Amino acid sequence: MAISASPIASDECSPCVPPDGSAGFLVCVGQELAKSLDYKTTLQSVARLAVPFLADACFVQIVEPDGQLRLIANAHVDDAKERLLREAIGRRRAGVSPMAVRAVRRREPVLVHRLSESLLNALAQEERMALDPWTLDAIHEARSESSVNVPMIVRSQVVGVLSLARLEGSPPFGSKDVRLIKQLARQCAQAIDNARLYREAREAARARDELLAATSHELRTPLSEIKGFVSTLLRSDVTWDEATRSDFLQEIERDADRLDALISDLLDMSQLASGGQLRFDRSPRSPAVLVCGGLDRVRLRVARSAVDIDSTLGKLPLVYVDPNRIEQVIANLVENATKYAPGSPIYIRAGLAEDGSTVDLVIEDDGPGIASQDIEHIFDRLYRGRATAGSKTPGSGLGLTIARTIVEAHGGRIRAENRPAGGARFVISLPVDPSVRRSDR
Ligand code: ADP
């Protein structure tokens, strides 16, 4: 198809004037979409190009994360009506037609030749949506006669719907129009996708920077301590006795462990921040063995704490988990108990949920507990308790975020609460191995 010879505006700011031919129109649309990554603005320009070139009214709706459609751009041959619709839509989250809903569900264009109230109601019923009076008014207000609703699909995902309508007196849409509108919808979908990918990339970069900024201090402290102990041990003018040397070496080992744990957390978090998944290798595991594995990882830290393990732990069914990751979570909770409840015994209990679907592992301490203003935030990324943040207790505020990510990726849950008698309680619910559940039936 030859591109129309009609002049196309090249100025970055002035809107493109669509020529007669459909190819020229699409070139114009491409230029508008390329002007900015703010797709609400560019799609509004596209809606204006489509009216009156293709239709008397144009509506662009996007699929929100909750699956609902939201109108983000519209144009109408009658300026007053366009303004009225925009104002009304700005006030209320409505104006979604059953044709648009159907186009999203079926992932194919929905063409209506003669729109009537009875047809609208029938479609709304089929799509199981309530047609609120305001939406009906909006559709009447647009005075559309025939309409085409094309899903905007990119990378196999429906990102929105492009709806075009013609008013009484205009010819109904034909197959050539539908072909052109499908192409237009593809271009709009691509623009939405590009803008979203760009935003996600920027957010991931910002999250990584924030993570590094927040944790660089935590990295530097153990490193400078290691350097201090090594320099001291290397002094040629002092002879250290065996006990002092051993103390220094233990401090160095502790700091190195701290660094190692923090670097693992950072790697996990940077993977999550860039939208990646943590890798899991799941198999049926005994809760008792998982607890032993978790404690073993922090054996130096818990050496000075009394650990009270419920004897029923060994009688519980197997859970279906990645042992490496769940031991990491248990180790983190136990280590937190040693940090925030120093000197307190650590209680580890477990039980089977009433419906038999999960094993609940409970890790508790007798310490000060979690302050009420912190309790709903402690699983947030980089969040440290208010009393903790200013203290010398080392930490980065990443441990519980990673713990929650790991547990939830297993289909489980983790929660924190305070014990009535004082102290913190963490409960991890892990899914029972499906083969155990099947054999119980
Ligand atoms: P970090 O320990 O590095 O600060 P976490 O994500 O592991 O990060 O914990 C977040 C916050 O939760 C801690 O800063 C602390 O305030 C609180 N917290 C965690 N475990 C306990 C506990 N056993 N008792 C009291 N507070 C706790």
Side-chain angles (χ1 to χ4, degrees), residues 2-330:
I3 292 184
S4 162
S6 313
I8 292 169
S10 59
D11 184 347
E12 277 276 300
C13 299
S14 63
C16 184
V17 180
D20 291 340
S22 52
F25 167 74
L26 290 176
V27 170
C28 237
V29 166
Q31 286 184 344
E32 284 303 323
L33 292 175
K35 276 185 182 167
S36 153
L37 280 163
D38 171 9
Y39 63 79
K40 282 182 199 154
T41 307
T42 56
L43 291 176
Q44 182 56 49
S45 308
V46 170
R48 291 232 173 82
L49 284 179
V51 175
F53 183 79
L54 263 177
D56 299 316
C58 173
F59 304 88
V60 187
Q61 293 158 90
I62 54 160
V63 179
E64 294 272 51
D66 62 2
Q68 300 291 313
L69 281 173
R70 183 167 64 89
L71 188 71
I72 58 159
N74 78 308
H76 197 284
V77 275
D78 181 340
D79 282 350
K81 280 211 165 70
E82 180 180 318
R83 236 188 350 267
L84 211 81
L85 277 169
R86 187 151 336 107
E87 279 166 14
I89 287 158
R91 280 198 303 272
R92 282 195 51 169
R93 199 187 147 116
V96 174
S97 77
M99 293 81 81
V101 172
R102 174 168 294 201
V104 171
R105 184 174 59 79
R106 292 196 172 168
R107 303 169 67 93
E108 59 186 37
V110 173
L111 187 60
V112 172
H113 286 300
R114 275 198 81 78
L115 193 61
S116 64
E117 193 160 334
S118 57
L119 179 65
L120 265 179
N121 283 322
L123 282 170
Q125 215 168 15
E126 278 177 42
E127 294 306 322
R128 293 180 187 175
M129 65 181 280
L131 205 54
D132 61 291
W134 186 88
T135 301
L136 265 176
D137 274 359
I139 291 169
H140 284 312
E141 198 58 51
R143 289 172 49 77
S144 57
E145 173 88 352
S146 66
S147 77
V148 184
N149 302 264
V150 181
M152 298 192 281
I153 301 179
V154 63
R155 293 190 289 136
S156 312
Q157 260 203 320
V158 182
V159 292
V161 196
L162 179 66
S163 304
L164 291 156
R166 286 185 181 164
L167 308 184
E168 282 167 47
S170 295
F173 290 102
S175 55
K176 214 169 133 206
D177 297 318
V178 176
R179 268 202 305 280
L180 181 58
I181 297 166
K182 275 163 94 173
Q183 180 56 36
L184 179 60
R186 266 195 291 275
Q187 280 182 253
C188 293
Q190 194 61 61
I192 294 173
D193 196 45
N194 287 346
R196 285 183 176 166
L197 285 175
Y198 174 72
R199 197 178 54 210
E200 276 167 24
R202 247 189 19 193
E203 272 166 17
R206 190 190 48 76
R208 257 199 308 267
D209 289 350
E210 193 184 292
L211 195 64
L212 269 179
T215 49
S216 54
H217 166 77
E218 281 303 308
L219 283 168
R220 222 177 257 141
T221 311
L223 202 60
S224 54
E225 278 183 19
I226 290 174
K227 171 112 178 63
F229 284 121
V230 171
S231 305
T232 312
L233 282 173
L234 285 176
R235 277 177 64 174
S236 54
D237 56 334
V238 190
T239 314
W240 303 105
D241 61 62
E242 204 40 52
T244 314
R245 275 173 61 83
S246 165
D247 271 357
F248 284 0
L249 287 172
Q250 273 177 23
E251 290 295 340
I252 291 173
E253 186 179 35
R254 242 193 304 277
D255 284 330
D257 285 347
R258 222 170 110 189
L259 270 179
D260 185 48
L262 188 60
I263 288 167
S264 303
D265 281 359
L266 274 175
L267 289 176
D268 282 350
M269 278 314 291
S270 80
Q271 212 174 334
L272 292 171
S274 58
Q277 295 280 315
L278 296 179
R279 247 179 279 134
F280 296 104
D281 189 4
R282 296 172 72 173
S283 54
R285 295 285 159 159
S286 144
V289 174
L290 291 170
V291 167
C292 288
L295 286 171
D296 197 41
R297 289 177 183 226
V298 282
R299 62 184 179 284
L300 280 181
R301 287 203 69 98
V302 290
R304 272 172 276 162
S305 308
V307 182
D308 178 350
I309 304 179
D310 192 347
S311 59
T312 56
L313 205 67
K315 298 184 191 120
L316 289 166
L318 302 183
V319 284
Y320 189 63
V321 297
D322 180 331
N324 187 33
R325 291 301 191 174
I326 296 303
E327 283 176 18
Q328 178 185 348
V329 173
I330 295 168

Side-chain angles (χ1 to χ4, degrees), residues 322-367:
D322 180 331
N324 187 33
R325 291 301 191 174
I326 296 303
E327 283 176 18
Q328 178 185 348
V329 173
I330 295 168
N332 185 271
L333 297 181
V334 171
E335 186 178 359
N336 275 353
T338 65
K339 276 196 322 194
Y340 301 113
S344 149
I346 299 167
Y347 306 99
I348 303 183
R349 322 202 176 286
L352 188 62
E354 248 175 49
D355 64 0
S357 62
T358 56
V359 163
D360 294 341
L361 276 180
V362 185
I363 297 174
E364 316 179 299
D365 60 61
D366 275 345

